[in-house]
């Protein structure tokens, strides 16, 4: 007896259909479709219990499946076995429906792929609407690509143009930006001996104005005027000024001085006056000074001392650029020295300077020294080669290793080899005039040229001083300046004479070249190397034997420069290759050597000559 299992419904037709269904699933070749579970405990996830399905609805009729608004019949004669299996499998039907929602791709009844159709159908009755394409698809992409291309090209062209502009406009030199007085060359003038404009026997300010271009072409950007103030016996006793608010009539009037300042400003030049210090501010005037704006016409300043009043006048009323405080060393022990110096510096304001002699630096102590180092801008130091090159070496070493190199804000050095109080360098040693000036030009800081030294001007005849001009002994180094054979000053009698030495105008080309070399070479004019708040000196005197003077100058990321001077009267041939290899001559007393390569293995130095070499890196 045949007994059916408990789970069987005893319907042969149903069992046959189940076998056919399973046979159709097994024979399906579509890899995207999966067989449905057995009918024993199968419950379709989209049965009639789920009425809100948007994708699949199973009808009571086992012969058909509703998908959306379309109906697929299991007995449709046009359907293959694979298609029937797909249609009869609820999970497969849901998968097909999801694929159709991709809008761009559906499956046809024979397995072909249909792309981008607005409406797809399956077995002729299944259709799905595609979603709307994004708006950017319809943009004018060829035009957009052209615009973007031109934008990119324009940017590249702009960058290239900017690079070319930077290259073209880049500075040819990279020199530090210093105040107007640091590293420069000053030209010191005693006006009464310089240029006579009206043939009255005295040099004057109008004559000086006519020679400003000469001074500028020489390479100087600042003139320093020696004593110009009114006195009973000016210019013979120039130091005995009785009124420091007035210019002595022998050299001009106030209008002439104002014209001089204007002409200097037009040439971007500066002016410094020698100011004799005859007094300091007395204690009762400090309170007045601190409470005023320092206007010269202020009636509250009536109790200000003579020197302070003069400083106020020339700074505020006549717009000069600085003052050389002559004889300041005589007051370093005064109880008001420090306070007075502070007030004077305050009177000057920004961008104006104070100078003082080295004697003031050497004599000041304690608070006076502190104020001096913080208020004075330049310390004037004199070098005299007549004392010998070893003495000069010791003095340079002492200065560059001394207190002035301890702080970056301390005064710079103003070197001079000739001034109003010293004997003319050509009188000391005519043959070494150029060599001495060349040595001065390689020293760190500021350098000064006393008028006439650039042409070898000498002092007055000794016998003339002892006889007719015995009262002029202290002005023996102030002869009449001579500019050229075609520009004679004429005699400046009755108070002075021409130089005992004939001017050597051939010196001028070498002097101009040496000054320009200095101004173009930071390694030389910079006074030191600043590091961690200190100043490290950048000068070393390497040799001072047998009249040979060798000075080395260096600076970070710059070529080292070497000065070699033969101050003797004999030719010197030596080997300096243990110190230096070689380099380019950038300055010399013999200008024909400039531009030549020189090597130190065996080199000959002519007597009374000097060269400056820029070493190879």
């Amino acid at each position: 007896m045949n007994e059916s299992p408990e789970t069987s419904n005893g319907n042969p037709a149903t069992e046959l259909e189940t076998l056919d269904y399973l046979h159709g699933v097994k024979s399906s070749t579509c890899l995207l479709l999966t067989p449905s579970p057995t009918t024993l405990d199968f419950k379709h996830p989209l049965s009639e219990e789920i009425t809100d399905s948007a994708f699949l609805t199973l009808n009571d009729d086992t012969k058909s499946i509703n998908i959306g608004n379309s109906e697929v019949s299991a007995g449709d004669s046009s359907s293959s076995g694979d298609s029937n299996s797909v249609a009869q499998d609820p999970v497969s039907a849901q998968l097909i429906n999801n694929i159709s929602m991709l809008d761009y791709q559906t499956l046809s009844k024979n397995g072909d792929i249909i792309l981008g159709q607005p409406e797809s159908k399956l077995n002729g009755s299944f259709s799905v609407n595609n979603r709307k394409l994004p708006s950017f698809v319809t943009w004018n992409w060829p035009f957009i690509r052209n615009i973007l291309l031109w934008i990119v090209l324009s940017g590249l062209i702009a960058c290239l143009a900017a690079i070319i502009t930077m290259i073209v406009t880049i500075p040819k030199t990279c020199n530090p930006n210093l105040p107007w007085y640091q590293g420069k060359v000053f030209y010191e003038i005693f006006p009464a001996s310089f240029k006579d404009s009206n043939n009255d026997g005295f040099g004057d300010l109008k004559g000086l104005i006519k020679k400003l271009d000469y001074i500028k072409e020489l390479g100087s950007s600042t003139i320093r005027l020696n004593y110009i103030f009114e006195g009973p016996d000016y210019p013979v006793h120039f130091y005995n000024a009785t009124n420091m608010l007035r210019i002595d009539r022998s050299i001009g009037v106030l209008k002439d001085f104002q014209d001089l300042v204007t002409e200097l400003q037009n040439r971007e030049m500066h002016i410094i006056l020698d100011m004799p210090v005859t007094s300091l501010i007395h204690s009762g005037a400090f309170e007045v000074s601190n409470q005023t704006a320092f206007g010269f016409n202020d009636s509250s300043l009536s109790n200000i001392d003579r020197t302070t009043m003069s400083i106020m006048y020339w700074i505020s009323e006549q717009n000069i650029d600085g003052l050389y405080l002559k004889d300041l060393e005589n007051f370093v022990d005064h109880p008001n020295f420090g306070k007075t110096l502070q007030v004077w510096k305050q009177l000057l304001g920004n961008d104006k300077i104070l100078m003082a002699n080295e004697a003031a630096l050497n004599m000041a102590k304690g608070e006076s020294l502190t104020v001096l180092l913080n208020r004075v801008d330049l310390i004037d130091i004199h070098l005299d080669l007549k004392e010998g090159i070893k003495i000069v070496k010791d003095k340079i070493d002492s200065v560059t290793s001394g207190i002035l190199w301890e702080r970056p804000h301390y005064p710079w050095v103003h070197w001079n080899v000739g001034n109003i109080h010293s004997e003319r360098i050509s009188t000391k040693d005519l043959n070494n005039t150029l060599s001495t000036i060349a040595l001065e030009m390689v020293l760190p800081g500021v350098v000064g040229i006393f008028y006439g030294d650039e042409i070898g001007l000498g002092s007055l005849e000794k016998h003339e001083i002892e006889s007719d001009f015995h009262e002029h002994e202290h002005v023996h180094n102030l002869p009449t300046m001579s500019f050229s054979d075609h520009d004679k000053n004429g005699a400046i009698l009755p108070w002075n004479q021409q130089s005992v030495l004939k001017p050597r105008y051939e010196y001028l080309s070498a002097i101009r070249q040496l000054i320009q070399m200095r101004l173009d070479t930071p390694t030389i004019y910079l006074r030191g190397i600043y590091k961690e708040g200190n100043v490290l000196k950048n000068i070393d005197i390497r040799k001072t034997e047998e009249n040979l003077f060798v000075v080395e100058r260096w600076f970070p990321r710059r070529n080292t420069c070497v000065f070699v001077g033969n101050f003797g009267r004999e030719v010197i041939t030596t080997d300096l290759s243990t110190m230096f290899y070689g380099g380019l001559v950038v300055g010399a007393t013999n200008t024909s050597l400039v531009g030549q390569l020189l090597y130190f293995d065996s080199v000959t130095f002519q007597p009374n000559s000097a060269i400056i070499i820029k070493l190879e890196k």
Side-chain angles (χ1 to χ4, degrees), residues 200-480:
D200 65 351
F202 296 92
D204 48 46
L205 297 179
K206 287 184 178 180
L208 173 56
I209 293 174
K210 293 181 179 180
K211 291 301 178 181
L212 290 181
D213 290 335
Y214 165 83
I215 299 171
K216 187 175 180 65
E217 291 171 2
L218 191 65
S220 175
S221 57
T222 300
I223 65 170
R224 173 187 151 203
L225 286 187
N226 296 135
Y227 305 80
I228 63 172
F229 304 120
E230 186 178 72
D233 194 16
Y234 186 90
V236 175
H237 298 289
F238 56 81
Y239 51 86
N240 189 20
T242 56
N243 189 346
M244 292 186 296
L245 299 180
R246 300 185 62 177
I247 297 172
D248 194 89
R249 291 284 302 180
S250 61
I251 61 172
V253 295
L254 182 60
K255 178 62 168 59
D256 298 333
F257 183 85
Q258 293 171 340
D259 291 341
L260 172 62
V261 173
T262 299
E263 292 297 326
L264 286 168
Q265 292 174 345
N266 292 340
R267 292 168 173 81
E268 297 182 347
M269 298 175 68
H270 300 83
I271 183 171
I272 296 174
L273 292 185
D274 283 4
M275 176 64 65
V277 177
T278 60
S279 61
L280 298 184
I281 300 177
H282 53 80
S283 300
F286 279 114
E287 183 177 355
V288 176
S289 300
N290 293 332
Q291 293 177 353
T292 63
F294 302 109
F296 181 74
N297 296 321
D298 196 323
S299 58
S300 63
L301 300 180
S302 57
N303 61 340
I304 297 299
D305 69 288
R306 177 187 180 192
T307 304
T308 303
M309 184 68 71
S310 301
I311 291 175
M312 292 172 58
Y313 175 74
W314 292 104
I315 289 293
S316 62
E317 299 294 318
Q318 304 306 327
N319 198 29
I320 64 173
D321 299 297
L323 295 166
Y324 189 135
L325 301 175
K326 306 293 291 188
D327 305 319
L328 182 66
E329 59 272 16
N330 297 332
F331 296 88
V332 293
D333 294 328
H334 194 284
N336 293 335
F337 177 83
K339 292 181 180 180
T340 299
L341 211 56
Q342 293 183 57
V343 172
W344 289 349
K345 184 62 176 178
Q346 184 179 356
L347 287 173
L348 266 67
N350 296 327
D351 207 32
K352 298 180 186 293
I353 68 170
L354 290 176
M355 293 180 62
N357 190 276
E358 59 182 313
L361 176 69
N362 295 333
M363 296 172 64
K365 306 296 180 184
E367 181 182 351
S368 295
L369 177 61
T370 301
V371 175
L372 179 70
L373 292 172
N374 287 276
R375 294 297 182 267
V376 172
D377 302 283
L378 292 177
I379 298 295
D380 186 32
I381 294 180
H382 176 64
L383 298 177
D384 189 354
L385 263 74
K386 190 176 182 180
E387 298 176 350
I389 59 176
K390 290 186 178 181
I391 300 298
V392 171
K393 173 192 180 301
D394 292 341
K395 186 164 188 177
I396 295 174
D397 284 340
S398 175
V399 172
T400 56
S401 301
I403 193 171
L404 295 179
W405 261 253
E406 290 186 0
R407 295 290 184 271
H409 63 276
Y410 280 0
W412 279 45
V413 173
H414 173 275
W415 306 94
N416 77 80
V417 293
N419 58 48
I420 191 173
H421 302 293
S422 65
E423 188 178 12
R424 287 277 175 176
I425 57 176
S426 292
T427 301
K428 299 173 187 177
D429 191 347
L430 175 62
N431 294 326
N432 273 324
T433 298
L434 281 181
S435 301
T436 302
I437 295 177
L439 171 61
E440 180 189 24
M441 290 299 161
V442 300
L443 297 179
V446 185
V447 298
I449 294 180
F450 191 45
Y451 84 94
D453 283 349
E454 72 273 21
I455 57 171
L457 208 62
S459 301
L460 303 179
E461 288 279 5
K462 290 185 178 181
H463 71 274
E464 294 290 348
I465 297 174
E466 293 171 355
S467 57
D468 297 337
F469 294 90
H470 61 278
E471 294 183 355
H472 302 179
E473 184 174 359
H474 60 279
V475 294
H476 68 280
N477 59 338
L478 303 178
T480 304

Side-chain angles (χ1 to χ4, degrees), residues 156-230:
L156 292 175
I157 294 173
C159 291
L160 181 62
I163 293 173
I164 294 175
T165 302
M166 292 176 61
I167 294 174
V168 172
T169 59
I170 192 171
K172 295 182 179 180
T173 59
C174 186
N175 296 337
N177 186 20
L178 298 176
W180 59 267
Y181 62 93
Q182 292 181 355
K184 301 301 189 295
V185 177
F186 289 9
Y187 192 76
E188 182 180 348
I189 300 172
F190 185 67
S193 297
F194 194 64
K195 174 65 177 174
D196 183 7
S197 66
N198 55 9
N199 294 320
D200 65 351
F202 296 92
D204 48 46
L205 297 179
K206 287 184 178 180
L208 173 56
I209 293 174
K210 293 181 179 180
K211 291 301 178 181
L212 290 181
D213 290 335
Y214 165 83
I215 299 171
K216 187 175 180 65
E217 291 171 2
L218 191 65
S220 175
S221 57
T222 300
I223 65 170
R224 173 187 151 203
L225 286 187
N226 296 135
Y227 305 80
I228 63 172
F229 304 120
E230 186 178 72

